[in-house]
Amino acid sequence: MSDTLKYDICDVAIIGGGPSGLAAATTLKKSGVERVVVLDRESVAGGVPRHCGHPPFGIVEYKRILSGPSYAKKIVKTAITAGVDIWLKTTVTSLGNEGRLTLISPDGPGALEANRVLIATGARETPRSARMISGQRPLGIYNTGALQSMIYLKKRVPFHRPLVVGTEIVSFSALFTCRKAGITPVALVEENKKTSVMWPIGYGTRLFGIPLLMNTSILSIQGHERVEMVKLSDKDGNEKDINCDGVLFTGQFIPESSLVRMSHLHINQITGEPIVDKYGRCSDPSYYAAGNVLFNPVKVAGKCWRAGQATAQWIVKDLMGTAKRKI
Amino acid sequence: MINKPDKIIQKQLQGDVTSNSAFLADTDVAVIGGGVVGCAVARKMALKGASVVLIEKASDILDGASKGNSAILHTGFDAPVGTLEWQCVQRGYEEYLAIRKSFNLPLLKSGALVAAWTEEEESRFPDILKKGSENGVKDLGMLSRSEVLSREPNLSVDIRAAITVPREFVIDPWSTPLAYLMQALENGGKALFKAGVTGGEFTGSKWLLKTARGKVRARYVINCAGLYGDILDRDVLGSSEFTIKPRKGQFVVFDKAAHKLITSIILPVPTKRTKGIVLFPTIFGNLMVGPTAEEQEGRDDASVDRNILNELHAQAIKKLPALENIPVTATYAGIRSATERPEYRIIEDTERNWITLGGIRSTGLTSALGLAQHVYGLLLKKGAEFSEVANPSIPKVPNLAEHLPRDCETPDYGEIVCHCEMVTQREIKAVLESDLLPAGSLSGLKRRTRVTMGRCQGFYCSAHLAELTEGKFQEPIAVGETDE
Ligand SMILES: Cc1cc2nc3c(=O)[nH]c(=O)nc-3n(C[C@H](O)[C@H](O)[C@H](O)COP(=O)(O)OP(=O)(O)OC[C@H]3O[C@@H](n4cnc5c(N)ncnc54)[C@H](O)[C@@H]3O)c2cc1C
Ligand SMILES: Cc1cc2nc3c(=O)[nH]c(=O)nc-3n(C[C@H](O)[C@H](O)[C@H](O)COP(=O)(O)OP(=O)(O)OC[C@H]3O[C@@H](n4cnc5c(N)ncnc54)[C@H](O)[C@@H]3O)c2cc1C
């Protein structure tokens, strides 16, 4: 244990250096807030777009079409240029009363006391376990986020012939990512009779020549070391085995809000979103939230960027004492 | 003098399949199986001064029953009175408490409540109390409904009454056997992986065991093959006195947010077949419900089943309504090595110096140290003579318990790889690069660090982990490269 707890203060602390957090930080600085600190647990800021190797990003923010990684670099640069302090490899471990945060970083445990805190921790996909899927637990079962970081950040592939589950926008991202990495999905399955989103899925499956199995659910995953087969069932209960070497669960986003759940802040117990007023302010008025941690369903980066900006403007007013306190 | 292990040899032993005609070791005792029982037996033998080789067919320890249990350190209050199981549970319990601090092994002093939800269950309390006292567990107490609720206010108001078992505790199910084997290795023992035993010959004074990696000569053999104990006896001795009847137990793990909802282990009133479904805190800061008891054919098939998981989930909510709002982190199953009879099947082939520790089905985590004492006693009776290691070296295992300081609280850990479980790069590297006992598989690495075992199940860290573990495991995370 380190004997000295590092302690610091700031005007606004922002948890999460993705599009919403960085947009808010940039806006705050530009509005004249003195000390704005972004805390991100990863070693590189930018959030999820860092590993979305595909366009379109940046239309709203920069009026250009960028790939995720270039977009991520750009929003980080914009924030730094505006004078935002970004602390990397810094995990917020608890949210205390009135903006008292505890942190862990390779320098040791620390504390940061902020006048206002913005929670911008994003969202993640529901893993296999929380979907209560039957079967064995071999290697080769991932979410899109993990697949994309493996491919775009580490240039590695976790499978060659996965079954892809879900038909949300992110499922299209998944197909696109597979295509780029030379991975051939054996099929795309959807439990419902309609795809969650129409356009990219129909288009994507046709474009990539991947069978789209509607009204189909997973009975079980089989495989000893790695995934070998998935048992499927259609709406009439007809069973079908499909050989594959992985399963990719896409979508069913949930807020990355465990910090909030473990804290004094109020949370929507079912969806996991922090409860906020129309300004994005939490039950403890020192805290705000913005971006995909609040959006249900999740939104694209541009929308999160906008949301970060808007919430930052409220925080500025709040700091100046001009915001109306209406909850 | 402490016999320091030959590091190079241990690394080689862990490595790839050599040739099955190679001669690997000549030892006093061969322990077959690296479950908790085998690890405890190997430790005892090494401390007593025997040369010992633990032979495991998987690429890491804990590949069988020991990989998925409830991690409860049982007092034995409800064990069958006067049985060897009861004796080993009690001895194992005592020894664990005596040694655990020196290994840095954690203990959650939760205590347990045997909860009655129906009149019928409550009517069994006198029997339970009587059995407890016959078993020497003298500190059982009774709580009325209101007393239960004041101690565990989140339990459903349907609770009727409970028996308190103050010394029923929660431990770390994976670091515990790891510590045992590490101590065996630090004190002269050896471990062989990917070395399934397929046969053997007894030549009148020694065994020559055939493994997938080569041959091992041993004076005594202890069969700790768990779910395969009967098959091993048949393959080597020609017959087995028992047949394993695999009994699966499924679990649902709730998010850490649930941990604060109960402080005690909530036991059901046990039935003849099983201890029933338990709600309990884990040492890692989660809350779990399980295990079921399902007979099945497969010894390796730890499949989970959606309907049963949903049923478990519903039962948990019924007993602890606040769980309704808590996300599920993980689901898994473990397989008990039950046999056609309820008791432990400890069988000695005195002529051939072979001891089988079979049917260690639902209390083995607790009883392992007791079983090891028992086996040592059997060897002494056979006239074995070893000279005890004077100042045995004691390995410290890294702490994974949530209530004690974790590695990430000490600076310079590199970075945090798994954010949900706060696993550092330093912890992962230490396990991968260990000279004594590096992790042999991704599951082994998970059990030894908790990496990817948290709420996101690898959403954030799989890529990083694929990179860190490259070239380390026979079954790698990444199966290829891409220019993308
Ligand atoms: C697979 C996938 C594909 C996508 N494709 C597209 C696309 O093509 N186009 C598009 O516009 N959008 C796309 N999106 C959506 C886009 O990535 C999100 O809208 C955007 O990243 C959300 O921004 P955010 O700032 O709210 O959260 P995030 O980008 O998720 O950022 C959250 C940050 O918080 C940090 N954090 C979390 N908890 C803590 C803590 N306790 N302490 C410190 N730091 C913490 C994380 O490290 C992370 O950097 C995609 C998303 C996914 C998952
Ligand atoms: C669901 C469940 C809950 C439980 N809860 C608890 C609890 O709360 N408290 C408690 O004390 N106990 C509990 N137990 C019991 C405990 O987990 C077991 O008793 C214990 O793990 C048995 O260990 P073992 O070493 O005998 O067998 P195993 O763990 O099965 O080990 C046998 C090893 O031998 C290896 N092997 C097999 N064949 C060969 C061969 N031919 N050559 C080489 N190696 C071989 C296997 O790969 C395996 O690693 C529970 C068990 C289950 C399943």
Side-chain angles (χ1 to χ4, degrees):
Chain A
M1 275 267 248
S2 94
D3 33 20
T4 50
L5 187 73
K6 278 144 210 95
Y7 175 85
D8 213 332
I9 51 171
C10 67
D11 295 303
V12 183
I14 295 174
I15 312 173
S20 46
L22 291 173
T26 306
T27 306
L28 287 163
K29 276 309 291 183
K30 286 190 174 159
S31 313
V33 177
E34 210 161 307
R35 184 129 199 257
V36 179
V37 180
V38 171
L39 308 156
D40 201 292
R41 61 194 185 181
E42 297 294 340
S43 54
V44 183
V48 165
R50 283 182 307 123
H51 55 71
C52 297
H54 49 72
F57 283 89
I59 301 168
V60 173
E61 304 87 323
Y62 302 107
K63 318 280 175 252
R64 286 169 56 189
I65 295 182
L66 299 168
S67 75
S70 340
Y71 169 80
K73 284 202 186 104
K74 215 164 153 69
I75 57 178
V76 172
K77 204 167 151 212
T78 305
I80 291 175
T81 312
V84 173
D85 225 350
I86 304 181
W87 297 3
L88 296 172
K89 299 187 190 173
T90 305
T91 306
V92 178
T93 51
S94 75
L95 311 176
N97 286 327
E98 296 169 7
R100 287 188 192 87
L101 307 178
T102 60
L103 317 173
I104 278 197
S105 81
D107 299 333
L112 179 63
E113 214 171 291
N115 222 325
R116 295 292 180 275
V117 177
L118 176 68
I119 302 164
T121 46
R124 59 181 156 82
E125 297 159 282
T126 302
R128 177 261 174 105
S129 53
R131 298 176 190 227
M132 302 277 207
I133 303 282
S134 301
Q136 287 160 319
R137 304 187 311 123
L139 271 169
I141 305 173
Y142 298 98
N143 287 124
T144 320
L147 174 73
Q148 291 197 330
S149 16
M150 239 181 261
I151 287 169
Y152 293 119
L153 298 179
K154 306 293 181 192
K155 312 239 175 276
R156 287 168 172 83
V157 297
F159 39 51
H160 301 296
R161 297 171 298 107
L163 178 76
V164 183
V165 185
T167 56
E168 301 178 30
I169 295 195
V170 66
S171 320
F172 179 70
S173 276
L175 295 184
F176 195 86
T177 305
C178 285
R179 164 97 160 187
K180 282 210 130 181
I183 295 169
T184 319
V186 291
L188 185 70
V189 296
E190 167 60 52
E191 230 172 350
N192 300 310
K193 59 173 188 279
K194 277 212 277 193
T195 52
S196 303
V197 292
M198 293 298 289
W199 168 76
I201 294 300
Y203 165 76
T205 47
R206 273 193 307 278
L207 180 68
F208 303 145
I210 298 161
L212 174 59
L213 309 176
M214 300 303 300
N215 257 321
T216 302
S217 53
I218 294 188
L219 287 181
S220 73
I221 298 175
Q222 317 266 311
H224 190 59
E225 300 282 358
R226 312 194 83 89
V227 174
E228 289 160 23
M229 193 240 291
V230 173
K231 281 189 175 299
L232 300 173
S233 163
D234 69 15
K235 65 170 191 315
D236 304 319
N238 297 316
E239 291 185 17
K240 174 177 172 173
D241 294 348
I242 189 158
N243 290 325
C244 53
D245 66 352
V247 186
L248 186 65
F249 287 98
T250 69
Q252 291 192 14
F253 279 91
I254 41 174
E256 173 63 357
S257 60
S258 21
L259 267 178
V260 181
R261 205 180 271 281
M262 307 288 263
S263 77
H264 64 299
L265 300 177
H266 296 177
I267 189 165
N268 178 328
Q269 297 282 0
I270 295 158
T271 59
E273 296 145 25
I275 292 176
V276 294
D277 65 12
K278 66 177 179 188
Y279 312 108
R281 191 164 41 191
C282 301
S283 54
D284 171 343
S286 306
Y287 287 87
Y288 286 77
N292 269 346
V293 74
L294 276 190
F295 287 137
N296 182 8
V298 289
K299 295 195 174 154
V300 294
K303 292 256 161 67
C304 292
W305 175 269
R306 277 271 155 81
Q309 283 181 326
T311 309
Q313 271 149 14
W314 285 115
I315 296 176
V316 172
K317 286 190 187 156
D318 178 10
L319 285 171
M320 297 191 316
T322 54
K324 284 199 196 105
R325 293 217 162 219
K326 225 196 287 168
I327 302 202
Chain B
M1 251 285 298
I2 304 167
N3 229 343
K4 276 284 166 201
D6 185 333
K7 290 185 173 170
I8 296 149
I9 289 185
Q10 183 56 40
K11 273 214 153 164
Q12 280 171 357
L13 293 178
Q14 200 121 14
D16 285 325
V17 174
T18 34
S19 114
N20 55 10
S21 60
F23 184 75
L24 297 168
D26 191 340
T27 185
D28 291 332
V29 183
V31 174
I32 305 177
V36 63
V37 174
C39 292
V41 171
R43 165 181 175 269
K44 177 64 65 185
M45 295 304 145
L47 293 181
K48 291 296 178 187
S51 59
V52 57
V53 177
L54 180 139
I55 309 172
E56 167 57 52
K57 75 172 172 195
S59 49
D60 207 329
I61 56 170
L62 314 183
D63 202 55
S66 308
K67 92 174 131 190
N69 59 46
S70 315
I72 297 172
L73 189 70
H74 296 298
T75 53
F77 76 97
D78 58 350
V81 179
T83 56
L84 183 65
E85 173 171 5
W86 165 79
Q87 188 189 71
C88 290
V89 164
Q90 291 225 326
R91 288 186 178 167
Y93 181 99
E94 296 300 329
E95 187 174 351
Y96 180 82
L97 290 188
I99 65 172
R100 64 138 192 130
K101 278 202 182 125
S102 61
F103 288 94
N104 196 33
L105 285 168
L107 183 72
L108 197 62
K109 292 192 172 178
S110 56
L113 299 179
V114 184
W117 303 87
T118 63
E119 203 177 329
E120 202 272 312
E121 285 171 359
E122 204 179 339
S123 73
R124 309 256 296 278
F125 275 11
D127 296 342
I128 298 173
L129 291 168
K130 181 161 164 273
K131 196 170 192 184
S133 117
E134 284 169 3
N135 274 333
V137 182
K138 305 283 187 203
D139 54 356
L140 302 185
M142 284 270 285
L143 296 181
S144 68
R145 177 170 174 277
S146 64
E147 286 166 334
V148 180
L149 288 172
S150 80
R151 180 165 149 178
E152 296 291 354
N154 293 308
L155 283 182
S156 156
V157 292
D158 293 341
I159 183 98
R160 295 178 63 93
I163 291 176
T164 54
V165 193
R167 292 179 301 116
E168 199 92 343
F169 298 142
V170 173
I171 64 175
D172 177 336
W174 302 307
S175 301
T176 300
L178 174 71
Y180 300 163
L181 183 59
M182 278 171 58
Q183 189 172 37
L185 300 184
E186 282 200 358
N187 291 283
K190 299 246 180 311
L192 264 172
F193 291 93
K194 299 177 207 158
V197 174
T198 52
E201 243 179 294
F202 187 68
T203 58
S205 63
K206 282 197 172 185
W207 275 100
L208 189 61
L209 295 173
K210 269 195 276 179
T211 82
R213 296 273 302 283
K215 298 200 164 105
V216 174
R217 187 170 291 132
R219 281 166 63 202
Y220 302 97
V221 178
I222 321 295
N223 170 354
C224 305
L227 288 159
Y228 288 84
D230 55 341
I231 294 183
L232 183 64
D233 273 5
R234 258 179 259 140
D235 286 352
V236 184
L237 303 179
S239 67
S240 168
E241 285 187 22
F242 61 91
T243 304
I244 293 289
K245 306 270 182 201
R247 190 177 295 165
K248 182 162 72 187
Q250 301 190 43
F251 295 96
V252 173
V253 185
F254 287 89
D255 190 273
K256 295 191 185 216
H259 191 73
K260 59 178 190 297
L261 296 177
I262 48 171
T263 57
S264 322
I265 302 161
I266 311 296
L267 299 167
V269 172
T271 67
K272 277 219 169 60
R273 257 177 79 234
T274 90
K275 288 185 172 302
I277 287 163
V278 190
L279 265 174
F280 56 103
T282 74
I283 202 97
F284 313 115
N286 296 82
L287 186 146
M288 282 177 53
V289 61
T292 54
E294 305 160 56
E295 314 250 322
Q296 64 175 34
E297 288 291 309
R299 295 166 191 245
D300 290 322
D301 185 8
S303 291
V304 291
D305 180 276
R306 167 179 237 142
N307 295 330
I308 290 175
L309 296 173
N310 283 333
E311 171 65 19
L312 273 176
H313 190 249
Q315 284 195 38
I317 292 171
K318 217 169 145 202
K319 293 182 174 175
L320 195 61
L323 284 177
E324 171 120 53
N325 295 322
I326 307 276
V328 167
T329 291
T331 59
Y332 70 90
I335 308 175
R336 305 173 188 84
S337 45
T339 70
E340 60 281 71
R341 298 220 296 263
E343 69 268 22
Y344 283 2
R345 312 299 285 272
I346 314 288
I347 296 153
E348 218 182 333
D349 184 326
T350 37
E351 259 141 54
R352 289 186 285 181
N353 295 342
W354 178 285
I355 300 171
T356 302
L357 304 183
I360 317 297
R361 56 173 190 147
S362 46
T363 48
L365 179 64
T366 311
S367 66
L369 294 171
L371 277 161
Q373 294 176 21
H374 182 71
V375 168
Y376 179 64
L378 294 177
L379 291 189
L380 285 186
K381 268 196 217 143
K382 295 180 65 64
E385 277 178 41
F386 309 117
S387 61
E388 195 151 343
V389 176
N391 286 305
S393 117
I394 306 177
K396 293 251 184 277
V397 290
N399 171 55
L400 302 178
E402 187 86 352
H403 65 289
L404 297 169
R406 293 284 306 276
D407 187 60
C408 63
E409 292 168 57
T410 308
D412 302 323
Y413 53 71
E415 59 187 291
I416 290 178
V417 177
C418 167
H419 297 295
C420 303
E421 294 296 317
M422 302 290 278
V423 184
T424 68
Q425 197 171 36
R426 180 170 58 196
E427 281 174 300
I428 292 173
K429 284 201 164 152
V431 172
L432 291 174
E433 290 162 13
S434 157
D435 282 324
L436 196 62
L437 193 61
S441 64
L442 180 63
S443 342
L445 180 68
K446 287 182 180 183
R447 291 192 284 269
R448 286 162 65 171
T449 58
R450 296 206 46 73
V451 71
T452 75
M453 291 177 104
R455 38 175 90 90
C456 91
Q457 296 277 301
F459 177 90
Y460 294 110
C461 72
S462 293
H464 197 172
L465 198 59
E467 181 181 53
L468 289 173
T469 57
E470 191 140 274
K472 302 283 184 189
F473 305 139
Q474 198 171 323
E475 280 299 338
I477 299 178
V479 292
E481 293 183 7
T482 164
D483 316 326
E484 246 331 299

